[in-house]
Amino acid sequence: YLLNGEKLFTGNGPVADLVAVSATVLGEGGPKVGACFLDTSTPGFSVGTRLEFMGSRGLPNASLHFDDVLVPADQVLIDPESDQLPFLVGMVALLGRIYFTGAPAMAIARNSLAWSREFIARRSIDGRALGDYDEIQRTVTATLADVYAMESAVRWSLLGSGLTDRWFERFATKNLLVRGAWRIVDRTVSLHGGEGFETVASKNRRGAVPVPLERAFRDARGLRIAGNVDFQLDNQLGRILLGQYYADARTYADDGTQGEPGPGAGTSAAGLSPANQEHARAIDRLVGELRRFAVGLVRRHPDPEQLYAKERTVVLLGRIAGELFNAVAALARAAAAGTPAEAVPAGHQELADVHCAEARHTLSGLFARLEPDAEPDHAHISRRWLADGGADQLVRH
Ligand SMILES: Cc1cc2nc3c(=O)[nH]c(=O)nc-3n(C[C@H](O)[C@H](O)[C@H](O)COP(=O)(O)OP(=O)(O)OC[C@H]3O[C@@H](n4cnc5c(N)ncnc54)[C@H](O)[C@@H]3O)c2cc1C
């Protein structure tokens, strides 16, 4: 194969000896996506300008150029059955995404937790310890519960070493981790006030505690883009979910059930506190609601492309699926934590409770947006503004 073109944004690309390049392969049956593996000493390969990101400054990145690069056929993987990347290559990428974006997200989250504790411990405001204030206590529990939920999602996803295990959850976990890290670091910046916005160099100059929050904040933002932009991953997850219902549509009754008992997923409440049992029942009902809604959509849209064009609906379904999975993962972890006791900074039941209480608020908002009573005409408003030439219009009116 002859590889031609430019590849942007590849992590470690300018220092790599071996690169994996996904490329469009033209053929008789239409374009396909192939995975090419090549040595960077191959003639025609060159590194272009270095790219500089807002964060992740330790990650070498550059534009890579391919000018008639000859790649032997046995170094190119193509799925003969589909136009997508070969399934197993996709599974490697899925797992890789958790390691190269999820692991730093987890580190940012846990560091933010430690920095929060250190800051609260050394500050008092108006004669009261900072940790005595209601809003600060809620900030603490929100971060603790976010870290707990993130850990629960990643543990569930990586349980079992099989490459194709729990791939739906692995897909959902990337967004859960990077969004969790973003929420946490944003909250921690506010908690630290001026110190949150201040660079380490400045803190060092005046002898303040050199917490590198500003760097964590910038790094966390990039994690929501690397491995694909967050809303696009929701979109893809929503399509995967709907694809399943398209495949099975005929096996569902109108109420979304497949002949199994109860309306939901049958989430077990064993080993849970009363508050978490209630959460488990509520989540179970929402799983049933999601299924009924998805089955209804699939029935009303015989052509999947017509449905997928309604991107916001698909994105919302992806987000709901992710939130439901995370709530179930946190509850399952809490239920299993009785023996042997696993050390967490607060009680398992309490942390799962805080997470699920918040997740249910988020989920009711997401479900409400799925079927709004009336909606502004977004297509019309944006088209008119874009056609009119943009920003001046806003200033003038
Ligand atoms: C720190 C960092 C590290 C990275 N590391 C790697 C790496 O190692 N390897 C690698 O291959 N890539 C890497 N990337 C690239 C990253 O995967 C891409 O930036 C990301 O997938 C978005 O693609 P893009 O930048 O080409 O945006 P585009 O695809 O050009 O998208 C531009 C905009 O259009 C939107 N858009 C695209 N399609 C649709 C649609 N159907 N509907 C609505 N909106 C849409 C996008 O969301 C975005 O807002 C990295 C990026 C960063 C920031």
Side-chain angles (χ1 to χ4, degrees), residues 120-338:
I120 293 169
R122 73 176 147 89
R123 289 302 303 267
S124 60
I125 305 282
D126 295 335
R128 269 173 80 189
L130 188 55
D132 278 352
Y133 286 89
D134 175 46
E135 196 54 30
I136 299 299
Q137 290 163 351
R138 288 168 188 269
T139 299
V140 167
T141 55
T143 298
L144 279 167
D146 274 345
V147 169
Y148 186 79
M150 290 163 69
E151 288 171 351
S152 307
V154 80
R155 279 162 179 245
W156 182 312
S157 299
L158 298 181
L159 263 180
S161 54
L163 187 57
T164 58
D165 286 346
R166 297 178 170 81
W167 66 269
F168 187 86
E169 289 95 325
R170 282 181 189 170
F171 198 109
T173 292
K174 192 268 177 172
N175 262 353
L176 295 173
L177 296 185
V178 299
R179 281 193 176 128
W182 177 248
R183 277 196 309 275
I184 289 173
V185 76
D186 181 57
R187 194 183 290 138
T188 310
V189 166
S190 287
L191 173 70
H192 280 68
E195 275 186 52
F197 196 54
E198 188 183 2
T199 63
V200 165
S202 167
K203 288 178 198 180
N204 276 331
R205 277 197 295 276
R206 66 181 183 87
V209 184
V211 173
L213 247 176
E214 172 253 352
R215 193 189 98 193
F217 185 76
R218 286 186 285 100
D219 289 353
R221 191 61 187 85
L223 296 176
R224 285 176 49 205
I225 297 173
N228 213 346
V229 182
D230 47 6
F231 69 81
Q232 276 299 91
L233 290 176
D234 292 332
N235 199 350
Q236 291 173 11
L237 192 67
R239 283 181 184 223
I240 293 170
L241 187 77
L242 287 166
Q244 194 60 45
Y245 289 112
Y246 272 111
D248 300 344
R250 264 172 282 122
T251 66
Y252 288 98
D254 283 342
D255 66 355
T257 58
Q258 253 181 334
E260 77 273 42
T267 311
S268 164
L272 292 173
S273 65
N276 283 330
Q277 286 181 25
E278 168 50 25
H279 291 314
R281 282 190 291 271
I283 296 296
D284 199 35
R285 281 193 298 274
L286 292 176
V287 170
E289 211 162 297
L290 173 66
R291 194 162 50 192
R292 267 190 300 281
F293 188 81
V295 168
L297 273 180
V298 163
R299 295 235 167 106
R300 290 196 299 280
H301 298 82
D303 174 8
E305 290 309 319
Q306 233 179 15
L307 175 53
Y308 298 159
K310 296 178 179 173
E311 289 188 321
R312 178 53 63 89
T313 302
V314 183
V315 163
L316 285 169
L317 290 174
R319 281 207 58 190
I320 289 171
E323 291 290 340
L324 288 172
F325 154 57
N326 206 357
V328 172
L331 288 171
R333 182 176 173 201

Side-chain angles (χ1 to χ4, degrees), residues 7-12 53 55-56 59 61 100 222-223 225-229 231-232 235 239 311:
K7 177 91 182 86
L8 284 175
F9 307 135
T10 310
N12 293 316
F53 290 129
S56 298
L59 181 70
N61 223 293
F100 77 74
L223 296 176
I225 297 173
N228 213 346
V229 182
F231 69 81
Q232 276 299 91
N235 199 350
R239 283 181 184 223
E311 289 188 321

